[in-house]
Amino acid sequence: MILDCQNFNFSTQLSQQRISFANKALGTDVTQRILSYSLYLQGSSKTSIAKSLNIPLDTMKSLIKRIHSDGITAFRDRRNKVKSFTTIKQEQQNLYNISVQDDFVKINVGCQDKPIIVPAKNTLQLKTVLFTLAGAGLVSNQEISNILKYSPSHIQYLIKKIQKEDVHALIDRRQGQKQHYRFTQDVKSELILQFILDISNEKKVSGMSLSSSLKARVKLDLSPRSIRNHIEKLGLGKIRKQISDCLSDVKKTSSVS
C-alpha cells in the first residue's frame, strides 16, 4: 500500500513538536531510524532519504538490512542500556503472578517488592482479594481455579455475585455443628448407648433428640445431621424395632422374676 502524500496536510510546527517529543521518549537515533524506514516504505530512494535526514548512505542501507533480518529490535540503539521492547513486555507480564506457600498465598500485582500476602487460613479474605483482581482482569479464572479448586465457570459466577452483593456473597451460609468432633470409637460408643437409652425410655431417636440427649448426658455437642449420618452408617435405624422388642422382653422377664 502506497500512500499519496499529496492528500495529507503537513505542518512544520507540529512536525518539530512531535519529533522533539519522540527524541525525548525514544532517543534521537531511534526516532531517526523510524523516520528513515517510514520514508523507505513510501518509496523514497535510499540516497534521497540519507541526504534529507543527513545520515551516511551506507548507514541507511545497513539499517534496512538489519530491520529486515532482526525485526523491530533493529530500531533500538544498541549503545543504550534501555532494554528491548520484547524484554520489557515480558518483564511486565512477570510482575503479575501468584505463588502458593504452605501457610500463605503471595500475590504480585505490579510491584515485586510489595506483594499482597494473605494467610491461607483466611479463606474469606483470600477469596475477596482473588475475585477482585480477577474482576479487574489482573489474574485469570484458571489461576484462581488452581488455588481454590473451583471450576472457572463457578468463579465467574462468584465474581458477578460479589459485585452485586458485596463480600457477603462469599460467606457459606450453611449451618453446621458449632463444635467439631471427630467420630472416634468413644464418640460412636456414646451415640450407640444413647440410641439404646432413648429407645428404652420410649423417646424419639431423631438426630435432633439424640443431639439434645448427648449434650445433656455427656456434654457432647454433635450436629443432628452428623448424628443421622452415623446412625445410617452404623445400621442402627434398621435394628431399632429389634432393640425395642429385646428391651421389652428384658423388662417382662425382670418383672416376672
Side-chain angles (χ1 to χ4, degrees):
M1 179 181 66
I2 299 177
L3 299 177
D4 186 356
C5 295
Q6 293 180 351
N7 294 327
F8 291 93
N9 294 321
F10 290 98
S11 168
T12 303
Q13 183 180 0
L14 285 176
S15 175
Q16 290 175 347
Q17 290 176 353
R18 292 169 182 174
I19 290 175
S20 176
F21 181 83
N23 287 339
K24 293 177 182 177
L26 304 174
T28 304
D29 290 335
V30 174
T31 301
Q32 190 177 62
R33 291 185 183 117
I34 292 173
L35 287 171
S36 300
Y37 193 63
S38 298
L39 291 170
Y40 171 79
L41 292 178
Q42 291 304 306
S44 298
S45 69
K46 298 183 185 73
T47 304
S48 61
I49 296 172
K51 185 177 180 180
S52 298
L53 296 179
N54 194 27
I55 57 176
L57 179 59
D58 289 342
T59 301
M60 179 64 200
K61 292 179 180 178
S62 176
L63 172 64
I64 302 301
K65 289 181 180 179
R66 286 207 314 273
I67 292 173
H68 290 170
S69 63
D70 300 342
I72 194 171
T73 57
F75 289 102
R76 181 172 62 89
D77 188 348
R78 296 180 181 179
R79 295 169 300 175
N80 198 323
K81 293 184 179 180
V82 177
K83 297 177 182 178
S84 67
F85 311 122
T86 52
T87 303
I88 293 172
K89 183 177 180 181
Q90 184 64 39
E91 288 183 354
Q92 287 176 339
Q93 290 177 345
N94 291 338
L95 289 176
Y96 299 87
N97 59 72
I98 302 174
S99 59
V100 182
Q101 310 297 328
D102 292 335
D103 300 322
F104 62 88
V105 176
K106 184 168 69 173
I107 307 167
N108 287 313
V109 288
C111 189
Q112 290 280 29
D113 59 338
K114 293 182 180 179
I116 298 172
I117 297 179
V118 182
K121 62 183 180 64
N122 294 5
T123 54
L124 183 58
Q125 180 188 5
L126 180 60
K127 290 177 185 177
T128 303
V129 172
L130 290 176
F131 290 148
T132 301
L133 293 175
L138 295 178
V139 297
S140 68
N141 291 357
Q142 187 58 55
E143 286 179 293
I144 299 177
S145 176
N146 295 337
I147 296 171
L148 300 180
K149 308 306 179 185
Y150 292 169
S151 68
S153 59
H154 185 57
I155 290 169
Q156 189 59 40
Y157 164 76
L158 289 175
I159 290 172
K160 293 179 180 178
K161 195 172 182 183
I162 192 176
Q163 290 172 345
K164 291 181 180 179
E165 304 177 22
D166 202 350
V167 294
H168 308 296
L170 301 178
I171 299 174
D172 189 352
R173 293 183 174 86
R174 294 174 299 178
Q175 292 184 352
Q177 60 198 55
K178 294 180 180 179
Q179 187 173 356
H180 298 279
Y181 284 93
R182 287 183 58 223
F183 270 78
T184 61
Q185 292 299 323
D186 290 340
V187 173
K188 290 177 183 177
S189 298
E190 292 292 350
L191 175 58
I192 294 169
L193 176 58
Q194 193 63 57
F195 187 85
I196 296 172
L197 288 174
D198 285 359
I199 290 177
S200 176
N201 294 322
E202 298 182 352
K203 294 175 63 177
K204 292 182 178 180
V205 285
S206 65
M208 185 65 73
S209 62
L210 286 168
S211 175
S212 178
S213 297
L214 283 167
K215 188 183 295 185
R217 186 173 65 84
V218 288
K219 309 300 181 186
L220 271 178
D221 190 3
L222 304 176
S223 73
R225 189 167 116 183
S226 297
I227 290 174
R228 287 194 299 271
N229 289 339
H230 280 82
I231 285 175
E232 184 177 349
K233 289 179 181 178
L234 293 168
L236 294 176
K238 295 179 180 179
I239 60 172
R240 173 182 174 179
K241 188 175 184 308
Q242 291 175 260
I243 294 174
S244 180
D245 291 343
C246 289
L247 289 173
S248 296
D249 290 342
V250 170
K251 289 179 181 179
K252 290 177 182 177
T253 304
S254 298
S255 61
V256 169
S257 60

